[in-house]
Protein backbone atom coordinates (compact mmCIF):
# COMPACT_ATOMS: atom_id res chain seq x y z
CA UNK A 1 0.00 0.00 0.00
CA UNK A 2 3.02 2.32 0.07
CA UNK A 3 5.22 3.59 -2.71
CA UNK A 4 8.94 4.13 -2.31
CA UNK A 5 10.60 7.09 -3.99
CA UNK A 6 14.24 7.44 -4.86
CA UNK A 7 16.13 10.20 -6.56
CA UNK A 8 16.62 13.91 -6.16
CA UNK A 9 13.89 16.20 -4.86
CA UNK A 10 14.34 19.87 -5.69
CA UNK A 11 12.76 22.42 -3.38
CA UNK A 12 12.37 25.88 -4.83
CA UNK A 13 12.82 28.65 -2.30
CA UNK A 14 10.67 31.70 -2.94
CA UNK A 15 13.14 34.32 -4.05
CA UNK A 16 10.44 36.88 -4.80
CA UNK A 17 10.42 38.24 -1.22
CA UNK A 18 13.40 39.75 0.56
CA UNK A 19 14.28 42.23 3.29
CA UNK A 20 16.77 45.08 3.11
CA UNK A 21 17.31 47.80 5.70
CA UNK A 22 14.38 46.64 7.82
CA UNK A 23 11.87 46.89 4.95
CA UNK A 24 10.38 43.83 3.23
CA UNK A 25 9.88 43.75 -0.53
CA UNK A 26 8.24 41.49 -3.10
CA UNK A 27 9.49 41.40 -6.68
CA UNK A 28 6.53 42.35 -8.89
CA UNK A 29 8.33 42.45 -12.24
CA UNK A 30 11.66 40.65 -12.66
CA UNK A 31 12.29 41.97 -16.18
CA UNK A 32 11.64 45.61 -15.22
CA UNK A 33 13.26 45.08 -11.80
CA UNK A 34 10.35 46.45 -9.79
CA UNK A 35 9.29 45.71 -6.21
CA UNK A 36 6.49 46.54 -3.81
CA UNK A 37 6.84 47.13 -0.08
CA UNK A 38 5.05 44.37 1.80
CA UNK A 39 4.82 42.55 5.10
CA UNK A 40 5.06 39.17 3.36
CA UNK A 41 8.12 37.02 4.00
CA UNK A 42 7.17 34.60 1.20
CA UNK A 43 4.17 34.02 -1.04
CA UNK A 44 1.87 32.95 1.80
CA UNK A 45 3.37 34.15 5.10
CA UNK A 46 3.75 37.61 6.55
CA UNK A 47 5.22 39.16 9.68
CA UNK A 48 3.97 42.48 11.03
CA UNK A 49 6.58 45.19 11.37
CA UNK A 50 7.58 45.84 14.99
CA UNK A 51 8.95 49.36 14.45
CA UNK A 52 6.98 52.62 14.66
CA UNK A 53 8.19 54.06 11.36
CA UNK A 54 9.54 53.02 7.96
CA UNK A 55 11.29 54.84 5.17
CA UNK A 56 10.50 53.73 1.63
CA UNK A 57 13.37 54.47 -0.76
CA UNK A 58 13.44 55.14 -4.50
CA UNK A 59 15.44 51.96 -5.11
CA UNK A 60 16.70 48.94 -3.21
CA UNK A 61 19.59 46.62 -4.04
CA UNK A 62 19.38 42.93 -3.22
CA UNK A 63 21.60 40.12 -4.47
CA UNK A 64 23.49 42.54 -6.69
CA UNK A 65 20.31 43.67 -8.49
CA UNK A 66 18.88 47.17 -8.06
CA UNK A 67 15.08 47.32 -8.03
CA UNK A 68 12.76 50.32 -8.38
CA UNK A 69 10.28 50.62 -5.49
CA UNK A 70 6.99 51.07 -7.30
CA UNK A 71 4.14 50.12 -4.97
CA UNK A 72 2.88 48.75 -1.67
CA UNK A 73 0.89 45.64 -0.76
CA UNK A 74 -1.65 44.94 1.97
CA UNK A 75 -0.85 47.74 4.43
CA UNK A 76 -3.38 46.16 6.81
CA UNK A 77 -0.79 43.39 7.42
CA UNK A 78 1.99 45.83 8.31
CA UNK A 79 1.29 45.68 12.06
CA UNK A 80 -0.23 47.66 14.90
CA UNK A 81 3.02 49.33 15.98
CA UNK A 82 3.68 51.00 12.63
CA UNK A 83 2.47 54.62 12.83
CA UNK A 84 4.46 56.51 10.21
CA UNK A 85 5.90 55.98 6.75
CA UNK A 86 8.13 58.40 4.89
CA UNK A 87 8.69 57.99 1.17
CA UNK A 88 11.92 59.29 -0.36
CA UNK A 89 11.21 62.46 -2.33
CA UNK A 90 12.99 61.05 -5.40
CA UNK A 91 10.69 58.00 -5.60
CA UNK A 92 8.90 58.39 -8.95
CA UNK A 93 5.83 56.33 -7.98
CA UNK A 94 5.04 56.86 -4.29
CA UNK A 95 4.70 59.74 -1.85
CA UNK A 96 3.64 60.23 1.75
CA UNK A 97 1.84 62.89 3.73
CA UNK A 98 1.42 62.77 7.50
CA UNK A 99 2.55 59.13 7.47
CA UNK A 100 -0.07 58.03 4.91
CA UNK A 101 1.05 56.52 1.58
CA UNK A 102 -0.14 57.85 -1.79
CA UNK A 103 0.81 57.52 -5.43
CA UNK A 104 3.27 60.19 -6.57
CA UNK A 105 0.70 62.86 -7.53
CA UNK A 106 -1.48 62.13 -4.48
CA UNK A 107 -4.59 61.22 -6.48
CA UNK A 108 -4.72 57.68 -5.05
CA UNK A 109 -4.51 56.92 -1.32
CA UNK A 110 -2.65 53.61 -1.12
CA UNK A 111 -2.33 52.94 2.60
CA UNK A 112 -3.29 54.25 6.00
CA UNK A 113 -1.19 52.52 8.65
CA UNK A 114 -2.80 50.12 11.15
CA UNK A 115 -0.87 51.64 14.07
CA UNK A 116 -1.80 55.28 13.50
CA UNK A 117 -3.48 56.41 16.73
CA UNK A 118 -5.61 59.23 15.24
CA UNK A 119 -9.36 59.04 15.85
CA UNK A 120 -10.19 61.02 12.72
CA UNK A 121 -8.68 61.48 9.31
CA UNK A 122 -9.49 63.83 6.45
CA UNK A 123 -8.55 62.46 3.05
CA UNK A 124 -6.80 65.30 1.20
CA UNK A 125 -8.59 67.07 -1.63
CA UNK A 126 -7.38 65.86 -5.00
CA UNK A 127 -7.65 62.19 -4.03
CA UNK A 128 -9.96 60.48 -6.53
CA UNK A 129 -9.46 56.87 -5.38
CA UNK A 130 -9.06 54.96 -2.12
CA UNK A 131 -7.10 51.85 -3.06
CA UNK A 132 -8.18 48.33 -2.11
CA UNK A 133 -7.43 47.54 1.59
CA UNK A 134 -6.16 51.11 2.19
CA UNK A 135 -8.03 51.60 5.50
CA UNK A 136 -8.83 47.96 6.27
CA UNK A 137 -9.10 47.06 9.97
CA UNK A 138 -8.02 50.44 11.39
CA UNK A 139 -9.29 50.25 14.96
CA UNK A 140 -8.49 53.80 16.10
CA UNK A 141 -10.54 55.60 13.46
CA UNK A 142 -13.92 56.98 14.51
CA UNK A 143 -14.38 59.42 11.63
CA UNK A 144 -13.16 59.60 8.03
CA UNK A 145 -13.89 62.66 5.93
CA UNK A 146 -13.88 62.00 2.20
CA UNK A 147 -13.23 64.82 -0.30
CA UNK A 148 -15.52 66.08 -3.02
CA UNK A 149 -14.07 64.67 -6.20
CA UNK A 150 -13.51 61.17 -4.78
CA UNK A 151 -14.73 58.73 -7.44
CA UNK A 152 -13.72 55.24 -6.26
CA UNK A 153 -13.63 53.33 -3.00
CA UNK A 154 -11.80 50.08 -3.78
CA UNK A 155 -12.67 46.58 -2.54
CA UNK A 156 -12.19 45.97 1.19
CA UNK A 157 -11.19 49.63 1.71
CA UNK A 158 -12.88 50.41 5.04
CA UNK A 159 -13.64 46.79 5.92
CA UNK A 160 -13.72 46.05 9.65
CA UNK A 161 -12.97 49.57 10.90
CA UNK A 162 -14.84 48.54 14.04
CA UNK A 163 -15.05 51.98 15.64
CA UNK A 164 -15.89 54.02 12.55
CA UNK A 165 -19.13 55.82 13.36
CA UNK A 166 -19.07 58.78 10.96
CA UNK A 167 -18.81 58.42 7.20
CA UNK A 168 -20.09 60.95 4.68
CA UNK A 169 -19.90 59.89 1.07
CA UNK A 170 -19.37 62.68 -1.49
CA UNK A 171 -21.78 63.12 -4.41
CA UNK A 172 -18.84 62.62 -6.82
CA UNK A 173 -18.58 58.95 -5.78
CA UNK A 174 -19.10 56.53 -8.70
CA UNK A 175 -18.03 53.16 -7.25
CA UNK A 176 -17.98 51.45 -3.85
CA UNK A 177 -16.07 48.17 -3.95
CA UNK A 178 -17.02 44.77 -2.58
CA UNK A 179 -16.89 44.45 1.21
CA UNK A 180 -15.53 48.00 1.49
CA UNK A 181 -18.03 49.24 4.09
CA UNK A 182 -18.70 46.06 6.05
CA UNK A 183 -18.00 45.70 9.77
CA UNK A 184 -18.43 49.40 10.64
CA UNK A 185 -20.28 50.97 13.60
CA UNK A 186 -21.79 53.60 11.31
CA UNK A 187 -25.37 54.24 12.40
CA UNK A 188 -26.15 56.58 9.52
CA UNK A 189 -24.44 57.35 6.27
CA UNK A 190 -24.88 60.48 4.17
Amino acid sequence: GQTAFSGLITVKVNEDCFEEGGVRYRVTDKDEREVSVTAFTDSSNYAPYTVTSLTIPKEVTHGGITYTVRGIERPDFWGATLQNVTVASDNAYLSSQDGVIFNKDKTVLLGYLPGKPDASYTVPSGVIKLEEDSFRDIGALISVTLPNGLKTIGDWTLYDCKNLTTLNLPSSLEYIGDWSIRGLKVSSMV
Side-chain angles (χ1 to χ4, degrees):
Q2 296 181 352
T3 304
F5 292 97
S6 66
L8 179 65
I9 297 175
T10 302
V11 177
K12 183 180 179 197
V13 176
N14 185 339
E15 297 174 4
D16 289 345
C17 294
F18 63 89
E19 183 172 336
E20 289 292 339
V23 180
R24 289 189 287 283
Y25 301 93
R26 186 178 70 82
V27 177
T28 55
D29 190 323
K30 287 182 182 182
D31 295 332
E32 295 296 323
R33 297 182 177 180
E34 296 174 344
V35 294
S36 285
V37 176
T38 187
F40 283 90
T41 56
D42 62 40
S43 61
S44 59
N45 296 298
Y46 71 95
Y49 288 98
T50 56
V51 295
T52 58
S53 65
L54 284 181
T55 298
I56 297 175
K58 170 187 176 182
E59 300 174 331
V60 60
T61 301
H62 177 75
I65 300 171
T66 299
Y67 296 93
T68 300
V69 181
R70 186 161 183 155
I72 69 166
E73 296 177 355
R74 294 299 304 265
D76 55 309
F77 286 172
W78 290 17
T81 60
L82 192 56
Q83 298 178 15
N84 187 50
V85 168
T86 303
V87 175
S89 61
D90 60 350
N91 185 301
Y93 301 98
L94 303 173
S95 62
S96 60
Q97 181 178 323
D98 301 323
V100 179
I101 308 163
F102 298 87
N103 67 340
K104 186 62 174 183
D105 65 3
K106 293 188 174 109
T107 57
V108 179
L109 190 150
L110 300 172
Y112 187 94
L113 301 174
K116 284 185 77 59
D118 305 326
S120 64
Y121 180 69
T122 299
V123 175
S125 63
V127 171
I128 60 171
K129 180 180 183 182
L130 302 180
E131 188 60 70
E132 180 175 318
D133 297 311
S134 57
F135 284 92
R136 186 174 179 168
D137 199 20
I138 306 295
L141 283 175
I142 295 170
S143 171
V144 174
T145 303
L146 303 175
N148 287 327
L150 182 72
K151 294 179 185 270
T152 303
I153 296 176
D155 296 345
W156 303 89
T157 299
L158 294 159
Y159 177 81
D160 223 11
C161 289
K162 294 176 180 76
N163 295 311
L164 190 64
T165 59
T166 304
L167 183 63
N168 294 325
L169 303 175
S171 60
S172 59
L173 196 60
E174 297 173 355
Y175 177 81
I176 299 174
D178 292 339
W179 298 83
S180 63
I181 55 174
R182 182 177 173 152
L184 311 179
K185 269 191 178 176
V186 172
S187 56
S188 69
M189 199 177 296
V190 177

